[in-house]
């Protein structure tokens, strides 16, 4: 069951989708920017307010911003030497790891599987995907379709009963952050790792959504709802970068996967951005009159709408696809800071629906499938 769940998760993420219709700019809006440190000023008075076209969440995190950037990046799979991977595998697997059993996959990747058919093992592929797991019996009665979803930032003090273990969202997020950043120390250059959300299942196990971040501001780590096939170009979507981890009720990490790892090529400081209060004003004027959104969270996040020539998981011409993916990965793209307004959705919905306001240009875009708008 565990292997099947991981496979389905990775398959979904490889087709990272994000949604929406055409973007637009707030016509005539006052886009006067503020210093980055003041971008959240007045946020408390926005909480819980109903603006007709949308309502704001009753609470959300109001962090202290220090630095904001535009970030140039690519997704060429990072190359790690064997010794570095061996240390990572050993740190994760503990006494289950024997370095002499590490093997090359013949394509530039390295893996360690102690025995045939085992769910315990570690892998880093030439495609830039990490997969680390320790076999654990979760029984047959776990309902993987239903779970409780908690954004960490606005459920910080929420109490959790994890199959008899009393804890809080904050405690579990802090544990995951410490473990993951320690494990991957030195792997992701200037990027840190931050737990964004926890999904809690009926047996007390959790899935942690973990984002790459720069100076506390995260890169989009949720599969969005928008995608569009553009003829002769490819699939348009908001790019997603993330790690995922499985955590036991007694705080042990038994699975980690990572894919679409960004490499920062350069970054340019942004001194002034549109404030959250101004972004709300832009939505008031720019959303259609028939809009009716209920927002569950709002945060500043780095985003980029990308076009990948691979339009599905079915590849008919492997050689051409390999060439196209190499070109796509090496292309330098730019992440920009955006105010992201998350729409309330059913817990079982995979992915997020987000209305976005570019914090530099004021442009409004919809990370929402047209049928969900």
């Amino acid at each position: 069951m565990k292997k099947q769940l991981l496979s389905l998760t990775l398959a979904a993420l490889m087709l990272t989708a994000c949604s929406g219709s055409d973007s637009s700019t707030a016509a005539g809006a006052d886009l006067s920017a503020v210093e980055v440190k003041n971008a959240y000023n007045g946020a408390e008075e926005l909480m819980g307010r109903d603006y007709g076209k949308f309502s704001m969440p009753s609470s959300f995190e109001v962090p202290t911003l220090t630095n904001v950037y535009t970030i140039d990046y690519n997704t060429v799979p990072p190359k790690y030497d064997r010794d570095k991977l061996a240390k990572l595998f050993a740190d994760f697997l503990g006494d289950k790891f024997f370095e002499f059993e590490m093997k090359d996959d013949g394509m530039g990747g390295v893996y360690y599987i102690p025995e045939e058919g085992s769910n315990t093992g570690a892998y880093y592929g030439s495609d830039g995907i990490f997969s680390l797991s320790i076999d654990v019996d979760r029984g047959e009665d776990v309902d993987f379709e239903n779970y409780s979803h908690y954004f960490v930032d606005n459920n910080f003090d929420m109490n959790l009963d994890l199959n008899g273990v009393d804890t809080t969202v904050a405690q579990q997020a802090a544990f995951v952050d410490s473990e993951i950043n320690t494990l991957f120390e030195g792997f992701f250059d200037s990027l840190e790792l931050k737990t964004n959300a926890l999904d809690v299942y009926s047996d007390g196990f959790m899935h942690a959504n973990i984002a790459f971040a720069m100076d506390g501001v995260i890169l989009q780590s949720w599969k969005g709802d928008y995608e569009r096939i553009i003829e002769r170009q490819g699939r348009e979507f908001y790019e997603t970068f993330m790690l995922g981890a499985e955590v036991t009720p007694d705080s042990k990490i038994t699975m980690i996967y990572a894919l679409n790892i960004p490499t920062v090529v350069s970054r340019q400081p942004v001194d002034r951005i549109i404030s959250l209060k101004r972004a709300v004003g832009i939505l008031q004027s720019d959303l259609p009159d028939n809009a009716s959104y209920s927002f569950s969270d709002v945060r500043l996040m780095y985003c980029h709408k990308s076009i990948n020539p691979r339009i599905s998981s079915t590849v008919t011409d492997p050689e051409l696809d390999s060439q196209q993916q190499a070109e796509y990965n090496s292309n330098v793209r730019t992440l920009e800071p955006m105010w992201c307004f998350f729409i309330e959705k059913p817990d079982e919905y995979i992915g997020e629906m987000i209305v976005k306001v570019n914090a530099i240009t004021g442009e409004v875009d919809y990370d929402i499938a047209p049928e969900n708008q």
Side-chain angles (χ1 to χ4, degrees):
M1 173 64 75
K2 177 180 173 182
K3 184 178 287 185
Q4 181 184 21
L5 178 63
L6 176 58
S7 298
L8 291 172
T9 303
L10 290 175
L13 289 168
M14 289 303 290
L15 275 175
T16 303
C18 296
S19 62
S21 61
D22 294 337
S23 58
S24 58
T25 302
D30 175 12
L31 300 182
S32 57
V34 300
E35 291 183 57
V36 165
K37 66 180 181 180
N38 297 324
Y40 274 95
N41 283 4
E44 289 82 358
E45 64 190 68
L46 304 174
M47 296 179 182
R49 290 191 59 178
D50 190 334
Y51 290 89
K53 298 177 183 180
F54 59 92
S55 61
M56 293 289 287
S58 58
S59 65
F60 51 86
E61 186 193 24
V62 183
T64 300
L65 295 180
T66 55
N67 298 298
V68 171
Y69 309 91
T70 58
I71 303 171
D72 295 330
Y73 73 99
N74 65 38
T75 47
V76 175
K79 304 299 181 187
Y80 302 114
D81 64 52
R82 193 182 181 92
D83 289 343
K84 192 168 188 174
L85 290 170
K87 182 180 184 305
L88 173 67
F89 294 177
D91 288 346
F92 179 77
L93 296 171
D95 60 8
K96 296 179 175 64
F97 177 76
F98 298 94
E99 185 172 351
F100 67 88
E101 292 188 357
M102 274 181 61
K103 297 178 174 62
D104 297 320
D105 68 0
M107 297 179 290
V110 177
Y111 69 94
Y112 173 79
I113 301 175
E115 57 188 50
E116 188 68 28
S118 173
N119 277 338
T120 293
Y123 173 76
Y124 180 70
S126 58
D127 52 5
I129 294 178
F130 276 107
S131 178
L132 315 172
S133 62
I134 298 173
D135 206 5
V136 60
D137 183 11
R138 295 189 62 175
E140 299 295 327
D141 299 326
V142 183
D143 183 358
F144 290 104
E145 300 298 320
N146 294 295
Y147 51 85
S148 297
H149 179 78
Y150 301 97
F151 280 114
V152 172
D153 291 338
N154 58 2
N155 288 284
F156 211 64
D157 297 323
M158 178 74 67
N159 292 318
L160 298 176
D161 179 355
L162 303 179
N163 206 21
V165 177
D166 292 325
T167 183
T168 66
V169 169
Q171 288 172 331
Q172 291 303 309
F175 163 76
V176 174
D177 284 353
S178 176
E179 292 290 301
I180 294 294
N181 279 285
T182 299
L183 271 174
F184 285 99
E185 185 177 3
F187 273 84
F188 304 129
D189 298 328
S190 57
L191 297 169
E192 65 261 20
L193 301 172
K194 180 181 178 183
T195 302
N196 276 320
L198 297 172
D199 295 333
V200 181
Y201 293 88
S202 59
D203 60 352
F205 276 69
M206 293 177 295
H207 176 270
N209 174 292
I210 303 163
F212 294 95
M214 183 172 289
D215 290 348
V217 180
I218 68 170
L219 283 60
Q220 179 160 344
S221 67
W222 287 278
K223 171 185 176 295
D225 196 34
Y226 169 71
E227 75 173 7
R228 180 168 69 108
I229 304 302
I230 301 177
E231 190 174 356
R232 291 189 294 276
Q233 292 189 52
R235 181 174 58 92
E236 184 179 56
F237 62 100
Y238 271 102
E239 197 152 17
T240 301
F241 320 87
M242 69 172 291
L243 283 84
E246 178 184 89
V247 188
T248 68
D250 56 347
S251 297
K252 294 179 181 176
I253 296 180
T254 59
M255 180 183 74
I256 301 171
Y257 60 86
L259 64 163
N260 202 39
I261 298 168
T263 295
V264 175
V265 176
S266 64
R267 61 183 184 180
Q268 298 77 38
V270 178
D271 295 327
R272 301 175 68 85
I273 61 173
I274 293 167
S275 70
L276 174 58
K277 197 170 183 179
R278 181 61 239 154
V280 168
I282 290 172
L283 290 185
Q284 280 184 280
S285 64
D286 209 57
L287 290 179
D289 291 338
N290 62 349
S292 180
Y293 297 124
S294 179
F295 297 136
S296 60
D297 193 28
V298 59
R299 65 180 62 207
L300 192 68
M301 192 161 70
Y302 289 113
C303 306
H304 174 71
K305 184 184 278 186
S306 196
I307 301 176
N308 189 322
R310 180 186 289 168
I311 62 174
S312 77
S313 58
T314 302
V315 176
T316 57
D317 188 335
E319 186 175 345
L320 176 61
D321 178 73
S322 178
Q323 176 185 340
Q324 289 177 333
Q325 290 309 297
E327 289 181 10
Y328 173 76
N329 287 330
S330 63
N331 286 339
V332 175
R333 288 95 81 189
T334 301
L335 290 158
E336 293 186 310
M338 297 186 183
W339 292 108
C340 295
F341 298 80
F342 290 76
I343 298 170
E344 288 185 0
K345 61 182 180 57
D347 285 342
E348 66 273 12
Y349 184 85
I350 298 175
E352 297 291 340
M353 295 182 283
I354 313 168
V355 180
K356 299 178 176 180
V357 179
N358 189 301
I360 297 175
T361 67
E363 181 181 33
V364 175
D365 201 14
Y366 301 87
D367 201 347
I368 311 169
E371 63 270 20
N372 291 328
Q373 290 186 34

